Amino acid sequence: MALWGGRFKEQASVQFKKFNDSLPVDYRMAVQDIVGSIAWAEALTTVDVLSQAEFQELKAALLELKASVEENPKQILASDAEDIHSWVEINLIEKTGDLGKKLHTGRSRNDQVATDLKLWCKETGSDLLYALVNLQQAMLDLAERERNTVLPGYTHLQRAQPITFGHWCLAYVEMFNRDIGRLKDALYRADTSPLGSGALAGTAYPIDREKLAHNLGFRSATLNSLDAVSDRDHVIELLSTASISMMHLSRFAEDLVFYNSGEAGFVEMSDLVSSGSSLMPQKKNPDACELLRGKAGRVMGSLTGMMMTMKALPLAYNKDMQEDKEGLFDALDTWQECMQMAVLVAEGLTVNRARTLAAAQQGYANSTELADYLVSKDIPFREAHHIVGEVVLAAIDAGHALEDFSIAQLQKFSDRIEQDVYQHLSIESCLDKRGAIGGTSRQQVEKALAEVQSGNLLSDNQDTLNTQVLGAPSKTQINMTLKQVKQRLNAQRAAAMSVRRARMSDIDSISALVDYWADLGEILPRSRDNIIHDVQNFVVAEVDGVVVGCASLYIYQTGLAEIRSVVIDKSAHGQGQGQALVQYLLEFAHQIQLQKIIVLTYIPQYFEQLGFNLIDKNSLADNIIEDSEQSPHKDPADEVAMEYIVNRCAEEA
């Protein structure tokens, strides 16, 4: 049954119906369409189009339909409805009769589909964010496992300088971190509700669209109805993010295909992600990586297709835009599947450390060290570069390494070369000289890993995910990097668990949480006015759009702040929201360049797990102690002070 037949004298042809109908694709938005319909029914109730009793009847029927769809979404495909919106309305009318026909009052399929798609993108975006964080974690785990493994670094696919395998892993951690930033940015811009925009000019009913947006979990309503129904930027941004990330996955796969080759022999893929040959029994093919590489083109093709679809469309809605979903759904499914496969690849990878070390020792990778050595002897770099080029040429002719030359032979090229040159030509020297931030030296690796294991973790910018990519490959530096990456992953998990900065609309929820736990004596009481004035320093955790926890950061002075009011609703205990709130604030503390965070707590074991260390409470400034009233329900002796060093380098400086 079509919902638009009054204008027509004849039925559409079967051929056109098949060509026109989108149900085989957009059935995936059934839950979003039902959720949007419930919100719209409630909005119609506020403007007296529906009575409260009618709303409750519609809501009950829609919730029943939602439960049925969640149990068996494929049932929808047996219908001959034009699209998912028609399917929901037809089924609603079957359940409620003429009442179901009232639901579409003031609403168009144009704002309906735009809303459904944004809701779907938001929910899918959360799954993608988790997948990216899990991928980063897998690469971090591999970096820790292979932090001391020497690997030849390449430029132009020619051996260049030695690095560590851990440093190679962390390069991809940084790429995937930028993908997280892009994904979060795209989802932020998608977080506006088109519902109430009508076909193109807005609804004729005085509906509070801002309240409607909040009821659906959007941060705000769209500001222009014409733009709202014709906008597909969120689709293009998600496809762009997916395409860039798939490019990163493709490079990751290509590296491993090469490392896995018989010519390199640096790694072996797990049997779980490999296949054999139907003819050649000796073959073990890296098919998982080859498919990762191949599927990148599929995702990028969806982006190109959507760009071409939108490039010449006039405002507002055009049926061309029905093509937005098939490519988007396939691309995001493919991206998520590829991320999960990459995790499996990383987890099962075996590194041939002897082979990687031998390869790093070949190809005159220590040539730069010899040039740097000559620079230390007051030879200008360009002259040193020329001298070393001549040494390399002679070594190639002689068929041996630079360090195999005698001192007498080396001094033919420069009389500045002395016996101490050999200590500069070893692999260890090549690696450990790269000790600056971002380098690959072993000392930095061990230092950072020690801090990761002790929980003393630095953080990075969570709100913008403006990653400070920690530059060159020294083994010393990798662990400094690992430390920061570990904290950043924790903060990203917090964001994936729907931890965010508080808004004014959260005041009632924050106040209720604080009052409840303050009455029990677990935290200090805070007035509603105090929370309102301090809301910019609060973060909240959500579950299914409901605020279930909060925490705040109180800044005392430059470099010092206190985490306060960390509370979680009893219904959400044990799910990790408390840790997520603290990790989010630690990340924010690093962003604004604080050096130290303190807590006053009765549960030190909880904060020890998050990297805090006990300190003498008497060492705190008087104003901090004065701010901390004693709970009448607790023994004052049980309260302890703890600190977290956000930026150890700044503190030591």
Side-chain angles (χ1 to χ4, degrees):
M1 182 183 87
L3 300 178
W4 41 264
R7 163 67 175 78
F8 294 81
K9 295 180 180 179
E10 298 183 62
Q11 293 289 330
S13 71
V14 173
Q15 183 179 356
F16 172 75
K17 179 172 172 54
K18 183 178 179 182
F19 187 67
N20 178 69
D21 290 359
S22 60
L23 189 67
V25 175
D26 63 21
Y27 82 94
R28 293 181 59 170
M29 301 192 305
V31 170
Q32 289 77 24
D33 194 80
I34 294 168
V35 168
S37 293
I38 293 172
W40 185 248
E42 184 175 7
L44 290 177
T45 305
T46 66
V47 294
D48 299 326
V49 171
L50 296 173
S51 68
Q52 189 63 37
E54 288 175 323
F55 166 63
Q56 293 299 333
E57 184 179 349
L58 286 173
K59 181 179 179 181
L62 286 165
L63 288 174
E64 181 182 337
L65 189 59
K66 177 173 177 281
S68 175
V69 166
E70 288 174 334
E71 182 179 348
N72 179 21
K74 293 294 180 71
Q75 64 176 289
I76 300 170
L77 298 176
S79 169
D80 67 345
E82 178 183 349
D83 54 29
I84 190 58
H85 323 296
S86 304
W87 185 88
V88 170
E89 187 166 344
I90 290 167
N91 279 268
L92 183 63
I93 291 170
E94 287 180 359
K95 290 177 179 293
T96 64
D98 286 345
L99 176 59
K101 298 177 181 179
K102 298 176 70 173
L103 179 60
H104 206 57
T105 305
R107 182 176 68 169
S108 166
R109 276 194 300 179
N110 292 357
D111 62 342
Q112 189 177 357
V113 67
T115 303
D116 292 356
L117 187 55
K118 280 192 172 182
L119 285 171
W120 185 90
C121 287
K122 285 180 59 177
E123 293 177 21
T124 303
S126 297
D127 296 335
L128 293 168
L129 183 59
Y130 271 116
L132 275 168
V133 171
N134 288 338
L135 179 55
Q136 280 192 304
Q137 184 66 62
M139 295 305 294
L140 179 62
D141 292 343
L142 184 57
E144 291 185 281
R145 193 177 82 207
E146 303 296 338
R147 62 191 182 273
N148 291 327
T149 301
V150 178
L151 178 74
Y154 290 82
T155 63
H156 307 281
L157 211 54
Q158 304 293 312
R159 289 175 189 163
Q161 291 178 304
I163 57 172
T164 64
F165 204 92
H167 193 70
W168 174 85
C169 294
L170 290 174
Y172 285 100
V173 170
E174 292 304 310
M175 292 185 204
F176 300 139
N177 189 67
R178 294 194 294 274
D179 295 337
I180 287 177
R182 277 181 281 270
L183 177 58
K184 289 172 67 67
D185 287 346
L187 292 173
Y188 176 82
R189 280 185 288 277
D191 198 17
T192 56
S193 172
L195 196 55
S197 297
L200 75 161
T203 183
Y205 295 84
I207 285 170
D208 184 344
R209 290 192 60 234
E210 201 67 21
K211 181 179 179 182
L212 176 59
H214 292 158
N215 287 345
L216 281 169
F218 289 101
R219 62 181 171 86
S220 65
T222 54
L223 297 179
N224 184 284
S225 61
L226 193 62
D227 173 62
V229 298
S230 58
D231 169 37
R232 291 299 184 270
D233 285 5
H234 49 289
V235 174
I236 292 170
E237 284 198 77
L238 286 173
L239 287 172
S240 175
T241 299
S243 296
I244 294 171
S245 185
M246 284 299 297
M247 177 264 290
H248 292 152
L249 282 168
S250 183
R251 297 184 73 182
F252 162 82
E254 170 60 18
D255 272 350
L256 288 182
V257 167
F258 168 62
Y259 291 167
N260 184 75
S261 67
E263 284 68 26
F266 298 161
V267 302
E268 182 178 353
M269 304 285 186
S270 163
D271 289 353
L272 299 177
V273 296
S274 304
S275 71
S277 166
S278 62
L279 176 66
M280 297 166 284
Q282 82 279 13
K283 293 291 295 298
K284 183 179 179 181
N285 300 323
D287 283 6
C289 285
E290 291 175 359
L291 284 168
L292 287 174
R293 194 173 58 189
K295 288 177 184 291
R298 178 171 167 178
V299 174
M300 294 171 187
S302 294
L303 170 62
T304 302
M306 191 60 199
M307 292 283 283
M308 294 302 293
T309 296
M310 295 298 296
K311 74 175 183 63
L313 292 186
L315 295 179
Y317 182 81
N318 300 271
K319 199 58 177 275
D320 312 49
M321 293 162 67
Q322 184 170 286
E323 292 298 302
D324 57 0
K325 287 172 281 295
E326 189 167 9
L328 176 69
F329 292 169
D330 181 74
L332 298 192
D333 287 349
T334 300
W335 182 23
Q336 185 169 0
E337 183 181 19
C338 286
M339 287 190 282
Q340 293 165 346
M341 183 53 58
V343 169
L344 198 59
V345 168
E347 288 176 344
L349 204 64
T350 301
V351 181
N352 186 338
R353 295 166 184 167
R355 189 75 177 259
T356 59
L357 175 60
Q361 291 171 328
Q362 299 168 8
Y364 308 102
N366 52 359
S367 298
T368 304
E369 311 317 310
L370 180 55
D372 287 340
Y373 170 82
L374 292 172
V375 169
S376 73
K377 301 294 184 178
D378 295 326
I379 295 177
F381 178 76
R382 281 298 162 209
E383 185 178 339
H385 186 283
H386 181 77
I387 292 170
V388 174
E390 293 179 329
V391 177
V392 169
L393 189 59
I396 292 172
D397 290 340
H400 59 62
L402 300 184
E403 57 268 32
D404 291 338
F405 279 122
S406 67
I407 284 294
Q409 289 173 316
L410 288 173
Q411 286 179 339
K412 291 179 181 178
F413 301 96
S414 173
D415 57 8
R416 305 285 182 89
I417 298 176
E418 300 174 2
Q419 191 67 39
D420 62 347
V421 71
Y422 294 109
Q423 69 190 55
H424 294 271
L425 297 180
S426 69
I427 284 289
E428 296 302 315
S429 176
C430 294
L431 292 169
D432 288 337
K433 281 185 177 179
R434 270 70 189 172
I437 290 179
T440 190
S441 80
R442 278 201 177 97
Q443 289 174 318
Q444 283 290 350
V445 172
E446 296 307 324
K447 179 181 177 182
L449 278 177
E451 295 198 27
V452 169
Q453 291 159 359
S454 70
N456 186 18
L457 308 172
L458 286 180
S459 62
D460 201 19
N461 180 345
Q462 164 62 29
D463 278 344
T464 63
L465 289 163
N466 230 350
T467 309
Q468 299 297 318
V469 181
L470 303 180
S474 90
K475 271 190 181 167
T476 310
Q477 186 54 43
I478 282 188
N479 259 348
M480 199 112 166
T481 307
L482 284 169
K483 172 186 60 176
Q484 292 184 272
V485 169
K486 193 84 169 181
Q487 172 58 42
R488 191 173 61 202
L489 279 172
N490 289 333
Q492 287 162 352
R493 284 196 186 89
M497 295 181 74
S498 295
V499 173
R500 58 170 173 79
R501 303 293 297 275
R503 301 188 282 251
M504 293 302 295
S505 57
D506 300 320
I507 295 296
D508 289 342
S509 298
I510 295 172
S511 183
L513 284 166
V514 170
D515 288 349
Y516 177 84
W517 291 106
D519 288 345
L520 294 178
E522 297 296 332
I523 62 169
L524 295 179
R526 302 183 72 159
S527 69
R528 180 181 173 83
D529 284 346
N530 176 269
I531 293 171
I532 290 172
H533 293 144
D534 201 31
V535 69
Q536 72 274 10
N537 296 320
F538 270 90
V539 293
V540 297
E542 290 181 317
V543 173
D544 296 329
V546 177
V547 172
V548 298
C550 67
S552 69
L553 190 70
Y554 183 85
I555 300 175
Y556 282 104
Q557 61 191 43
T558 301
L560 177 65
E562 178 184 358
I563 290 180
R564 296 178 172 181
S565 305
V566 183
V567 289
I568 302 294
D569 188 88
K570 292 178 69 175
S571 66
H573 278 192
Q575 298 178 19
Q577 271 84 12
Q579 290 190 10
L581 286 164
V582 174
Q583 293 288 6
Y584 192 102
L585 287 176
L586 294 177
E587 188 81 354
F588 178 64
H590 184 72
Q591 175 193 350
I592 61 175
Q593 299 181 352
L594 291 171
Q595 277 83 52
K596 186 184 297 184
I597 304 297
I598 61 167
V599 291
L600 294 167
T601 181
Y602 296 101
I603 48 171
Q605 64 277 7
Y606 181 84
F607 286 94
E608 283 175 354
Q609 297 173 0
L610 296 169
F612 285 80
N613 295 308
L614 288 169
I615 59 171
D616 183 358
K617 189 158 68 171
N618 294 324
S619 68
L620 299 177
D622 291 341
N623 63 318
I624 298 177
I625 300 299
E626 290 168 4
D627 280 349
S628 176
E629 303 172 17
Q630 295 298 324
S631 168
H633 305 277
K634 301 285 186 180
D635 184 345
D638 291 339
E639 184 183 64
V640 300
M642 306 185 76
E643 71 175 10
Y644 180 101
I645 305 303
V646 180
N647 191 331
R648 183 170 298 278
C649 295
E651 185 191 50
E652 291 173 351

